Amino acid sequence: MGVHEHTIEVAGSPAFYRSCPGSNVLYLHSVPTSSDDWVEMLELTGGGAVDLPGFRRSGKGGPLDYSMNRYVDFLERILFQLELERVAVVGHGWGAAFGLLLAARRPGLVSRLTLIDAIPLLDGFTWPTPVRWW
């Protein structure tokens, strides 16, 4: 099985993702990495991994809203476009937080959830100053 690379348009912006037959797992990377993190796992298990908006080969438009809710909107849209009705989500760091929010928002869409070093989702959480500058 080989890992295939694709670029589609999601909400007017290019979205890059990798896929490999074999499972319905969606792998989500953290900041500042990309779907490159998941190539070996895709080869082993199948599934898909996306470059989240603003990272690697997905759109980086200045007017894009980079809030947590907009990332979850992006995930819903790309899964809809790919006609994936139910996925198991594996997320690392920020990807874990986005996966958790996706599962909370759309429990019927997420069959399983694996979180690795998830960021805290606490009221009042803000990006640290160096990250906001970046």
Side-chain angles (χ1 to χ4, degrees):
M1 292 188 304
V3 176
H4 306 281
E5 298 182 350
H6 319 269
T7 301
I8 61 174
E9 187 173 303
V10 177
S13 187
F16 175 83
Y17 71 97
R18 301 168 194 271
S19 66
C20 188
S23 76
N24 67 338
V25 176
L26 173 66
Y27 293 96
L28 300 174
H29 65 84
S30 190
V31 172
T33 60
S34 70
S35 63
D36 294 348
D37 291 353
W38 300 110
V39 171
E40 290 180 28
M41 289 302 295
L42 289 171
E43 291 170 343
L44 291 171
T45 68
V50 63
D51 284 358
L52 294 166
F55 295 90
R56 190 88 162 105
R57 290 186 261 186
S58 285
K60 298 172 180 66
L64 292 177
D65 179 351
Y66 292 101
S67 69
M68 293 181 121
N69 282 325
R70 294 297 77 85
Y71 277 105
V72 176
D73 291 346
F74 168 82
L75 293 173
E76 286 181 319
R77 286 184 180 125
I78 198 166
L79 292 173
F80 176 78
Q81 281 188 235
L82 297 177
E83 299 178 354
L84 296 172
E85 296 177 8
R86 196 144 169 84
V87 295
V89 175
V90 176
H92 172 248
W94 284 97
F98 302 145
L100 183 60
L101 291 172
L102 177 66
R105 184 189 291 182
R106 298 283 306 276
L109 179 62
V110 178
S111 62
R112 293 178 183 202
L113 186 60
T114 302
L115 307 176
I116 305 161
D117 293 330
I119 62 148
L121 296 174
L122 306 172
D123 286 340
F125 177 84
T126 60
W127 293 83
T129 301
V131 175
R132 287 196 311 262
W133 291 339
W134 175 61

